[in-house]
Amino acid sequence: MTALSTIRWDIDIVALSSIVHREDYSSVGTDNFALFRREKILSADGTMTEVPIVSGSSFRGVLRRIGEQHTAAILDYESTLPVPAAHLLTNGGRLAKSARPLTDESERQLKTLLPLIAVFGGAASGRIMSGLLTVGKVLPEIAELAHILPRPPHSDPAPPAVLSVAEEPFT
């Protein structure tokens, strides 16, 4: 039996456009502007402050879609893959009843055949399959978070969060 190892990567992500999560709703539906997703963080001076953070789940979804693109390029299954299978690979699938649910052995075989499923997991045939990958939050290099970043910020001193927070209107 092969022993599992833990590997940790600290990577840099550069946003090429606004990072927006819809948070504001009115009685009519969503408003016509969106805010950065913010979380309360205890700053180095002991005060609570809200800072923009990209969730680990959001970034995990990006990684899953990149993995699916590479898998599709190698296996060339674009026109032959059933819709539920494509949904599993690109978005993690959906939990729905199935006439033939996956067994433990069929899940093992699926993960052996498609490492993408082993890494990210998913839901298929009435079963939730766990994945091996854990993705943490994407922390911006800002002054308020400099004390908890896994390594020093690239710019010294790091800019304040107020320069990273904005409203984005749309029609």
Side-chain angles (χ1 to χ4, degrees):
M1 183 176 230
T2 319
L4 293 176
S5 60
T6 299
I7 300 170
R8 179 188 167 104
W9 284 294
D10 290 324
I11 62 172
D12 293 328
I13 301 170
V14 178
L16 300 177
S17 63
S18 299
I19 301 168
V20 177
H21 295 261
R22 285 175 145 318
E23 291 180 351
D24 298 306
Y25 297 90
S26 67
S27 59
V28 196
T30 57
D31 289 334
N32 65 348
F33 72 92
L35 298 172
F36 281 105
R37 177 180 181 268
R38 297 177 179 98
E39 286 190 15
K40 289 183 180 177
I41 297 289
L42 190 61
S43 63
D45 66 5
T47 59
M48 282 293 227
T49 185
E50 285 191 344
V51 295
I53 291 181
V54 176
S55 71
S57 294
S58 175
F59 184 53
R60 180 186 173 96
V62 170
L63 293 174
R64 178 191 292 275
R65 284 183 284 285
I66 291 169
E68 189 278 332
Q69 288 172 350
H70 288 293
T71 303
I74 291 168
L75 299 179
D76 192 29
Y77 54 66
E78 188 173 324
S79 61
T80 60
L81 199 62
V83 172
H87 189 64
L88 171 63
L89 294 174
T90 56
N91 299 321
R94 66 185 182 100
L95 192 57
K97 292 183 180 179
S98 173
R100 296 183 346 176
L102 286 174
T103 64
D104 290 344
E105 182 57 31
S106 57
E107 180 181 335
R108 271 189 227 94
Q109 288 174 338
L110 179 62
K111 287 179 174 181
T112 301
L113 290 170
L114 288 168
L116 186 72
I117 304 301
V119 171
F120 292 101
S125 297
R127 183 181 187 115
I128 296 176
M129 300 175 283
S130 62
L132 298 171
L133 182 66
T134 303
V135 179
K137 296 174 184 175
V138 178
L139 302 174
E141 289 187 352
I142 55 175
E144 292 82 353
L145 296 180
H147 67 290
I148 62 171
L149 292 174
R151 59 180 191 239
H154 285 83
S155 60
D156 191 29
V162 71
L163 297 179
S164 302
V165 179
E167 292 179 359
E168 182 172 279
F170 57 92
T171 57

